[in-house]
Amino acid sequence: MSDMTIEQLAGYQNLVITQPCCPFCVKAKAILDDRDTEYTTLVLGADLEKTTMVEFIEQKTGQTVRTVPQIILDGQYIGGHDDLVAFIERQVDSEAFGDFEL
């Protein structure tokens, strides 16, 4: 088991926290792979204690999370699989409008 600290976690710009046999973790990583996004994967129980993950996300966002995946991109907390899908959809929608301003 790793003794990874919250300070070490904060050093990752692109991070996916997973656990074995998690279908949403697999789906989230596939989405990132399809977009050629480089990221680090940390596995709960092997690379990281769950309590450390919970504390890290609480410090970063004020939210208490208990599930995986937990995704951080460009240092910004995204959330889980569904949050990643919504984040990407917002990016695509905003790109479709180009330089349009209200």
Side-chain angles (χ1 to χ4, degrees), residues 74-94:
D74 291 329
Q76 176 186 346
Y77 177 70
I78 302 300
H81 168 270
D82 294 346
D83 301 309
L84 175 63
V85 170
F87 174 77
I88 290 171
E89 285 176 356
R90 282 193 306 272
Q91 281 188 324
V92 169
D93 289 346
S94 66

Side-chain angles (χ1 to χ4, degrees), residues 49-100:
E49 295 279 351
K50 185 171 184 174
T51 54
T52 305
M53 176 196 76
V54 171
E55 289 176 30
F56 172 65
I57 301 297
E58 281 179 349
Q59 281 187 10
K60 194 160 187 72
T61 69
Q63 299 175 8
T64 301
V65 296
R66 303 260 184 243
T67 60
V68 289
Q70 291 300 316
I71 303 163
I72 295 171
L73 297 176
D74 291 329
Q76 176 186 346
Y77 177 70
I78 302 300
H81 168 270
D82 294 346
D83 301 309
L84 175 63
V85 170
F87 174 77
I88 290 171
E89 285 176 356
R90 282 193 306 272
Q91 281 188 324
V92 169
D93 289 346
S94 66
E95 289 170 5
F97 290 107
D99 293 330
F100 178 77

